[in-house]
Amino acid sequence: MHKKIRPEKRQLQNYYSAEFKLAHPKILYQFKLRRSESEPMFAVVKEGSKALDNINEGDIINMRYYPSDRSIPPETLDTRIKYITRDETTGFKNHYVIGLCIHGENEKIVA
């Protein structure tokens, strides 16, 4: 019997990087997606980055996701910012860890 994988789970495993447009200035911010045992998807952003000025916990942001397989076109998905925390225990000194969650149909948009 095959184990069913939710579409969201399958998508997360195939994405390598993502990007979103910063409101001020109007430029794209790209980042590598990371995963851990406790967090299925997060980004690491350097302290002082303009990206940190443009996002808040709970925001729903339209992000473009790029698969590891470059023959597959990118996909645009609404993404919720779960948390933004400074965490040097991850090995990224002077960086913030940003928890990401692809916005589900049942969630209420808060931003």
Side-chain angles (χ1 to χ4, degrees):
M1 180 171 231
H2 294 287
K3 183 178 178 183
K4 286 190 176 183
I5 298 175
R6 294 184 325 191
E8 179 180 305
K9 274 277 200 214
R10 188 176 344 109
Q11 290 173 351
L12 294 179
Q13 293 170 354
N14 295 329
Y15 294 133
Y16 173 77
S17 66
E19 69 183 14
F20 67 96
K21 188 179 280 190
L22 301 177
H24 307 285
K26 292 190 178 197
I27 58 174
L28 290 176
Y29 182 76
Q30 286 189 313
F31 54 91
K32 179 180 175 184
L33 293 171
R34 300 175 186 273
R35 293 163 185 78
S36 71
E37 287 183 23
S38 61
E39 186 59 58
M41 184 170 64
F42 66 96
V44 177
V45 178
K46 187 172 179 126
E47 183 177 25
S49 169
K50 293 203 182 291
L52 293 170
D53 297 335
N54 286 267
I55 58 173
N56 296 295
E57 289 183 21
D59 285 355
I60 304 293
I61 299 173
N62 191 263
M63 292 192 183
R64 176 171 238 156
Y65 288 87
Y66 292 89
S68 299
D69 181 349
R70 294 179 190 241
S71 69
I72 300 172
E75 187 172 2
T76 303
L77 300 166
D78 286 338
T79 305
R80 182 171 53 88
I81 305 298
K82 291 170 41 178
Y83 60 84
I84 301 171
T85 184
R86 186 173 180 165
D87 184 2
E88 294 187 8
T89 62
T90 59
F92 298 101
K93 189 175 182 179
N94 300 322
H95 285 72
Y96 284 81
V97 176
I98 302 173
L100 304 169
C101 178
I102 293 179
H103 182 63
E105 293 176 3
N106 296 330
E107 288 184 324
K108 181 179 178 183
I109 295 178
V110 294

